[in-house]
Amino acid sequence: MIIPNPDPQVLQSKMSLPKKEWILEIELNGKMKFEHLMNVIYNQLGICHRVLSANVEYVEGCSFGSVQLYINVDSEDFDQLQFYLDKNKLLNTTVEYVCRKYS
């Protein structure tokens, strides 16, 4: 699937939005494969993420378990991700990740 390059004005507005760091835990309930979910988050929603932990079992081609992701997104992208997860009935919880910075 080819995704068109975004308009430069859209990029400028997105660059000005503040980003937050989140740890997102998603419960896989067999309705979506783990690999498909990771593909959608990265390729379709454009959200870079790191898998912190994954406990996934496959039963007859269905994924069950949980996965924890580290994401750094603005509020607009986060809302899109939440909408996608809710639409696909994937239970999820988020915790804002705050890291102390020493000077």
Side-chain angles (χ1 to χ4, degrees):
M1 176 169 124
I2 299 173
I3 301 172
N5 288 335
D7 185 21
Q9 290 177 341
V10 172
L11 284 176
Q12 284 293 339
S13 67
K14 291 202 53 100
M15 290 176 74
S16 64
L17 292 174
K19 290 188 173 188
K20 286 188 177 180
E21 295 176 323
W22 297 93
I23 294 179
L24 172 67
E25 183 168 354
I26 304 169
E27 294 292 325
L28 301 170
N29 55 10
K31 296 185 181 195
M32 182 178 295
K33 288 187 176 185
F34 172 70
E35 296 82 5
H36 178 71
L37 176 62
M38 296 298 106
N39 184 43
V40 167
I41 291 173
Y42 183 72
N43 289 328
Q44 291 182 5
L45 298 176
I47 297 174
C48 294
H49 60 276
R50 290 187 206 145
V51 177
L52 299 177
S53 70
N55 182 13
V56 180
E57 294 184 24
Y58 298 93
V59 178
E60 297 178 9
C62 299
S63 301
F64 294 92
S66 64
V67 60
Q68 286 185 344
L69 303 176
Y70 166 82
I71 56 175
N72 186 6
V73 294
D74 57 41
S75 59
E76 186 177 302
D77 288 339
F78 185 74
D79 291 341
Q80 284 181 336
L81 178 58
Q82 284 293 120
F83 177 76
Y84 179 81
L85 295 173
D86 292 341
K87 183 176 87 170
N88 289 288
K89 296 181 172 62
L90 293 170
L91 182 64
N92 62 86
T93 55
T94 54
V95 176
E96 187 173 350
Y97 178 72
V98 180
C99 181
R100 287 187 181 178
K101 297 188 176 167
Y102 299 100
S103 56

